[in-house]
Amino acid sequence: MTVAERLELDDMQGLILRGYRDLPAACFVLLAVKDAAAARGWLAGLVPQLTSAGTRPAGSAINLAVTMPGLRALGLPSEVAHTFPLELREGMVTEHRGRVLGDVGESAPEHWLFGGPATPQPHLLLLLYAKDEAGLARLLDAHANAPGVTELHRLPSTDIGEREHFGFRDGISQPRLAGIGGTGVGDDQAVSAGELVLGYRDEYGLYAARPLVPARLDPDAVLADDVEGSGERDLGRNGSYLVLRQLEQDVPGFWQFVDAAAGEDRTALAAKMVGRWPSGAPLVLSPDADDPGMDRARLNAFRYHDQDPQGLRCPVAAHVRRTNPRESLDPDPGSDASLAVGKHHRLLRRGRSYGPRLPIEQALHDGHDGRSRGLYFVCLNTNLARQFEFVQQTWVNSPKFAGLYDEPDPIVAPGGSFSMPAVPVRRRVTGVPRFVTVRGGGYFLLPGVRALRWLASAGVAEMPNTSSPVGS
Amino acid sequence: MPYQQALTVVAPLRDGERAALDADLAAAAAGRNGTAVPFAELTGVHFARLFVLDAATAADGTRTPEQLVWMSDVDAPLERHREQLAERAGPALDPLFRHCQGYPEQPDDAGRRAYLDSHTVHEATFYVNTIGRGLDQVLLEQRLRDALERYLDEHRDQLAGLDSAEVRERLRRFVADQPQLQVALEPPQPPGIWFRARETLHMVLAPLLLVLLLPLILIGLPIFALLLRLHERRDVPDERPPDDRHAEQLAALEDHSIQNPFIAAGSVKPGRFRLLTATVVLWIAGYFTRHVFNRADLAGVKTIHFARWVFLDGHRRVVFASNYDGSVESYMDDFIDKVWWGLNAVFSNGVGYPRTRWLIFGGARDERVFKHVLRRRQQPVQVWYSAYPDLTARNLRNNQQLRAGLAGGMNDRQASDWLARL
């Protein structure tokens, strides 16, 4: 059940509340801690400069996330490290998680540019946003070469507008925090804060697993008390778990495939695969042609079972229908119960595109230009197993989604068939290849501001076993 | 046509044999779909598994050694299955069961058979996704579906302008022309008359018995409720997460196909009250799985092929086993979101379960603790076989309705809905 709570916005990093759309220049920087004490000193200076959710950023924004190895490198005591959920402690790269996330074959971590076994382990993720490239350059100068840390890898984004590289408007459907910006609890897209922010009640009315610190390790009471009353201090509160994936998009491969399969109707086929037209108009509301003038409020104002139970408009296998099935799944498609179950699996997306835009005409005729392009996928959630991993495994990658047989996500999963229900007979496209390849990734904690202050504090350094490689 | 049955064989290990058995099980599991054991040569086996149940100390202090367990979901008659197990699978099973107490040194068919019989444990409750849908039917209906899909792919242009009833007619004619598929035009044979008579009798007599006992029940119910609340208040949920090694072991065996086996074992809470409650609840659950939830839908959960509950170790432990579609995460979410009440009624009689109220409330709704408990109770399934590892229960249901829709007359609207299954 969705509940609205008062949120401590000043203690939350701004990314939870904002995608910083008005700061189109962005770069993500992966850092490694070289000297724990120096890095903590740098962190202590950085924390006041971080952009919180409490104030709208003017001109630039800085946020910071940290991996489990990063926390250990900063000196996190092992007894605190053990309180993190398993997904974070194991990280994105395990043999089993490869099957869950579909990181196999060309997407396997051994080929990754970062976060895989072939490259150094990232510790910190600096997320920098500015109004323009000059402003971004200033941010990079100021923060990327800091004492105690070294830069491992830079993920520079490209402002290609609202449409992602395949040419479709992205980021339309997002879960909204109940109680923020007039979002009522009865809204289809509203979720309890605890689904996206740690330390608040989630849709079950419970508090997601999060790191806790014994009170003796926080003598200055920097951290908030555990809201569940354990007597420990909450290192997770106002934070979130951040997923980063570099998803390389094969734009010529995509457009040439739909062209070969549908000829003149290539855009219609592509729209069927996505579930929206290039303008973002949903197929459920505009089944036969794009409707670029559609009112923004309508773009997300639809349900599947109610308006299109058989998928005659938006195929069941389409990308947006399976990444957010709304009220269309069991226990009782079309019901509030199904909508409520769906709310346990929402993700807040904060990605940015990278690489130069390749116009569709050029993709069709000239093919590959040798440039890498795609999406730095970023999402936030509080239960990686139930949210990000569930969506990836059970909805996106599963060829069996919602009763299908052999139809994984036609856009982002590694290939299968794709059918479009029609009367009297469905159309089926077989041999859909892989259009998206994973090139890197990792699981991070996007800590609250107080949590970062505690991590930067000398208190952490004085703890025993600061450099013990626990769990490795 | 057959109905489905469950076979459970439980054999205690000899002291010190665990490591050797684990190695032999790993060898038998090579290739994951149980290549060393000739499952596919055993008639009518839908699913089968072999695993080692950890040693346990029950709530009353009784120790049980490690046990090797065989489980299969198989078409009746069980008699034939046992015979084939001894004869056809015997040579593959000998190297595994030789680690068990009392297994014949020089096993022959009769010796194996006697051993299997004497170590068979009858399940308390058996859930079958669709009662009476035998393996042959499953495989026939999948061949039918594949053929129809191919036909549509090849003839789409000729069919596109026709109305739905006409398309259906063409598909029926196509099926009639296929010697291997013709039989699908007829409805499947229902299970035999004796089975149906027995089930009908059970369906009627069980509630009748309850009506007869109603005065007693009415008197007993308040006492039961009082005792229940007293017990629930004393319950101690075990909130610890599973240890990392255990979680890794489980994960290593999961998600190799779209189906997964699940097995969890737990001790019944001490005292007669909880055992009695568990027994009665499982008996009621058995009534519902036999007569109500027997058509592909377990109160909104459509991903379970087979499941069973078995009392072990003189009713000190309960083992829950199932074959389900998708990930363990989605499976546990289904438990929490859709059938929490049923899970609570059964599992809350087990040690460490999250606290329930009035038997069915609370419990599984405590997501984190519930998942921890389930994962901690879960055991790796070393050897596992599925006769149709690429098909979900929803696929099977759709195939079945596809086949059913070949028979009889349909108007255009009905034909259109039927064609939507393809």
Side-chain angles (χ1 to χ4, degrees):
Chain A
M1 198 180 71
T2 307
V3 293
E5 278 189 86
R6 249 178 67 89
L7 305 181
E8 298 172 326
L9 296 180
D10 287 333
D11 194 41
M12 285 161 45
Q13 295 201 56
L15 197 62
I16 291 177
L17 204 60
R18 302 188 174 89
Y20 304 128
R21 291 254 177 197
D22 48 352
L23 302 174
C27 186
F28 306 151
V29 187
L30 291 160
L31 306 168
V33 173
K34 286 293 161 212
D35 175 336
R40 278 194 305 271
W42 162 73
L43 187 57
L46 180 67
V47 171
Q49 303 178 59
L50 292 177
T51 311
S52 85
T55 44
R56 181 173 286 278
S60 67
I62 308 170
N63 282 162
L64 181 74
V66 53
T67 62
M68 207 66 226
L71 288 161
R72 292 193 179 108
L74 282 171
L76 186 81
S78 59
E79 63 179 301
V80 179
H82 277 297
T83 66
F84 278 77
L86 184 68
E87 300 79 36
L88 217 71
R89 281 184 289 124
E90 289 187 339
M92 190 179 275
V93 180
T94 70
E95 192 251 340
H96 176 246
R97 208 152 271 127
R99 293 196 292 277
V100 167
L101 302 178
D103 296 344
V104 293
E106 280 178 70
S107 290
E110 51 262 36
H111 309 305
W112 286 3
L113 302 173
F114 65 91
T119 53
Q121 267 183 341
H123 289 162
L124 300 166
L125 176 70
L126 201 52
L127 304 117
L128 304 173
Y129 304 84
K131 274 208 174 343
D132 51 34
E133 288 302 321
L136 186 62
R138 283 195 296 278
L139 283 181
L140 283 163
D141 280 348
H143 298 291
N145 297 306
V149 298
T150 49
E151 182 176 328
L152 296 178
H153 196 77
R154 208 170 262 210
L155 305 172
S157 77
T158 312
D159 176 19
I160 58 167
E162 278 187 322
R163 298 187 182 188
E164 50 70 55
H165 278 291
F166 291 139
F168 292 80
R169 183 161 164 189
D170 196 13
I172 296 168
S173 181
Q174 294 270 32
R176 291 207 297 265
L177 291 171
I180 294 280
T183 304
V185 295
D187 189 324
D188 277 12
Q189 310 295 328
V191 296
S192 304
E195 293 292 320
L196 303 173
V197 194
L198 295 166
Y200 297 91
R201 287 188 187 279
D202 64 16
E203 287 284 324
Y204 288 116
L206 305 170
Y207 297 91
R210 62 207 180 284
L212 298 173
V213 174
R216 68 185 154 77
L217 296 185
D218 182 26
D220 300 330
V222 175
L223 298 170
D225 286 330
D226 174 16
V227 65
E228 287 187 278
S230 66
E232 303 200 285
R233 302 269 159 72
D234 196 338
L235 186 60
R237 186 167 174 90
N238 294 312
S240 187
Y241 300 121
L242 182 150
V243 178
L244 170 67
R245 316 257 288 165
Q246 179 175 346
L247 306 177
E248 189 172 84
Q249 293 174 263
D250 180 2
V251 176
F254 177 75
W255 281 103
Q256 288 174 6
F257 174 80
V258 291
D259 185 57
E264 287 297 295
D265 294 331
R266 67 180 87 88
T267 305
L269 172 58
K272 283 280 192 185
M273 290 161 73
V274 172
R276 290 183 186 272
W277 293 97
S279 75
L283 266 65
V284 170
L285 298 181
S286 184
D288 301 319
D290 200 352
D291 181 4
M294 187 179 284
D295 184 54
R296 205 189 156 95
R298 278 193 79 207
L299 292 178
N300 219 15
F302 63 91
R303 290 181 168 192
Y304 288 113
H305 184 80
D306 189 30
Q307 284 156 288
D308 184 26
Q310 290 185 335
L312 293 169
R313 294 169 166 217
C314 177
V316 174
H319 175 66
V320 301
R321 187 162 180 153
R322 66 198 302 151
T323 47
N324 180 14
R326 297 167 191 245
E327 35 51 284
S328 66
L329 299 184
D330 286 328
D332 184 13
S335 70
D336 286 346
S338 281
L339 191 68
V341 169
K343 286 187 179 189
H344 295 137
H345 310 289
R346 298 303 307 272
L347 307 170
L348 188 62
R349 290 169 296 147
R350 293 295 188 225
R352 294 273 174 147
S353 287
Y354 71 92
R357 155 110 40 222
L358 185 67
I360 293 169
E361 281 307 305
Q362 211 175 314
L364 281 170
H365 300 119
D366 303 345
H368 281 280
D369 60 353
R371 304 286 297 273
S372 173
R373 56 175 57 79
L375 176 72
Y376 295 132
F377 173 88
V378 171
C379 78
L380 301 175
N381 56 183
T382 54
N383 187 332
L384 287 160
R386 165 156 65 74
Q387 292 169 290
F388 172 67
E389 292 181 353
F390 177 98
V391 170
Q392 193 73 18
Q393 180 176 21
T394 303
W395 289 352
V396 170
N397 287 334
S398 173
K400 304 293 185 179
F401 171 75
L404 298 171
Y405 285 74
D406 176 33
E407 304 189 42
D409 189 301
I411 304 294
V412 300
S417 60
F418 175 67
S419 58
M420 291 157 274
V423 176
V425 174
R426 91 286 182 280
R427 256 187 79 196
R428 181 159 78 151
V429 184
T430 53
V432 182
R434 177 197 279 279
F435 302 121
V436 169
T437 308
V438 186
R439 306 284 283 155
Y443 287 157
F444 297 79
L445 172 69
L446 181 77
V449 177
R450 275 176 294 188
L452 281 169
R453 271 175 49 210
W454 181 76
L455 286 169
S457 70
V460 180
E462 284 158 15
M463 295 307 144
N465 316 318
T466 49
S467 59
S468 72
V470 178
S472 59
Chain B
M1 276 301 265
Y3 54 96
Q4 304 96 319
Q5 290 183 291
L7 176 66
T8 308
V9 177
V10 182
L13 262 61
R14 293 203 310 266
D15 282 345
E17 293 287 310
R18 175 67 186 264
L21 174 59
D22 277 343
D24 288 337
L25 281 171
R32 200 50 202 135
N33 215 357
T35 45
V37 184
F39 295 103
E41 291 170 32
L42 307 174
T43 310
V45 173
H46 294 248
F47 294 90
R49 67 179 79 190
L50 278 156
F51 63 94
V52 181
L53 204 54
D54 285 340
T57 305
D60 66 359
T62 315
R63 257 193 81 71
T64 313
E66 291 148 323
Q67 300 170 102
L68 175 61
V69 183
W70 162 279
M71 286 183 176
S72 45
D73 302 296
V74 61
D75 292 336
L78 216 46
E79 190 57 25
R80 173 185 62 193
H81 180 55
R82 287 204 185 103
E83 212 165 89
Q84 292 183 349
L85 213 51
E87 291 169 12
R88 297 184 192 175
L93 293 178
D94 288 343
L96 305 173
F97 278 94
R98 75 185 165 83
H99 300 290
C100 298
Q101 295 173 19
Y103 198 69
E105 302 242 336
Q106 305 286 332
D108 54 14
D109 292 350
R112 288 186 201 113
R113 179 60 207 269
Y115 191 84
L116 291 177
D117 286 353
S118 61
H119 289 80
T120 295
V121 181
H122 200 263
E123 72 279 5
T125 302
F126 187 36
Y127 169 76
V128 178
N129 180 278
T130 301
I131 291 177
R133 187 174 61 202
L135 180 61
D136 288 344
Q137 184 185 342
V138 166
L139 300 179
L140 166 70
E141 288 166 355
Q142 178 58 16
R143 284 201 306 278
L144 172 72
R145 188 257 172 188
D146 282 345
L148 293 178
E149 292 284 357
R150 268 199 309 279
Y151 182 88
L152 289 189
D153 281 341
E154 286 160 12
H155 299 81
R156 189 175 187 279
D157 293 340
Q158 292 106 289
L159 300 172
L162 305 177
D163 62 30
S164 296
E166 176 58 27
V167 173
R168 174 170 173 262
E169 208 40 53
R170 299 245 180 136
L171 288 173
R172 272 162 40 124
R173 262 179 270 148
F174 163 72
V175 173
D177 288 342
Q178 310 295 310
Q180 298 91 17
L181 297 178
Q182 279 165 355
V183 58
L185 292 170
E186 303 295 326
Q189 289 287 314
I193 179 79
W194 288 114
F195 174 78
R196 281 181 290 158
R198 198 185 73 198
E199 290 301 290
T200 309
L201 211 61
H202 182 266
M203 186 170 74
V204 176
L205 284 185
L208 209 61
L209 187 71
L210 285 185
V211 171
L212 288 176
L213 292 174
L214 200 59
L216 281 177
I217 293 171
L218 285 178
I219 295 167
L221 214 52
I223 302 168
F224 171 80
L226 193 71
L227 283 172
L228 177 68
R229 288 303 292 153
L230 282 175
H231 279 84
E232 286 181 335
R233 268 164 217 214
R234 285 205 301 263
D235 283 346
V236 186
D238 186 350
E239 303 189 353
R240 291 169 302 157
D243 80 62
D244 290 1
R245 233 183 71 78
H246 180 67
E248 276 166 34
Q249 272 184 346
L250 295 172
L253 294 170
E254 281 167 351
D255 302 317
H256 289 272
S257 80
I258 55 96
Q259 299 167 348
N260 276 307
F262 188 87
I263 189 94
S267 294
V268 181
K269 285 170 181 164
R272 275 187 220 155
F273 177 79
R274 284 298 189 175
L275 178 59
L276 180 72
T277 307
T279 308
V280 172
V281 167
L282 283 173
W283 183 80
I284 295 170
Y287 182 85
F288 278 90
T289 59
R290 277 166 81 171
H291 306 301
V292 182
F293 300 123
N294 57 10
R295 291 262 178 280
D297 187 350
L298 180 63
V301 179
K302 297 169 185 163
T303 52
I304 304 175
H305 294 262
F306 293 92
R308 72 182 76 172
W309 280 270
V310 185
F311 280 110
L312 286 184
D313 312 344
H315 284 70
R316 289 181 186 87
R317 267 202 294 178
V318 177
V319 168
F320 170 72
S322 66
N323 295 291
Y324 67 94
D325 301 321
S327 70
V328 73
E329 182 68 24
S330 68
Y331 191 50
M332 293 192 294
D333 286 346
D334 276 351
F335 284 166
I336 298 167
D337 293 338
K338 298 166 192 169
V339 287
W340 44 271
W341 44 273
L343 265 281
N344 286 349
V346 181
F347 287 146
S348 69
N349 300 298
V351 172
Y353 194 77
R355 192 186 302 275
T356 47
R357 299 184 308 276
W358 303 109
L359 199 60
I360 58 171
F361 298 106
R365 299 293 287 177
D366 189 344
E367 182 202 9
R368 194 190 338 158
V369 177
F370 175 74
K371 285 178 177 174
H372 284 345
V373 168
L374 228 58
R375 278 306 245 182
R376 255 200 348 267
R377 297 272 182 274
Q378 203 185 335
Q379 303 242 310
V381 177
Q382 286 99 331
V383 178
W384 180 61
Y385 168 78
S386 166
Y388 34 86
D390 297 327
L391 293 173
T392 60
R394 285 192 65 170
N395 290 157
L396 299 183
R397 179 70 176 164
N398 188 62
N399 291 351
Q400 189 183 356
Q401 290 177 321
L402 203 55
R403 187 256 190 97
L406 287 171
M410 277 191 189
N411 62 29
D412 204 51
R413 178 64 208 264
Q414 290 164 329
S416 174
D417 284 346
W418 180 76
L419 283 170
R421 299 189 174 283
L422 287 164

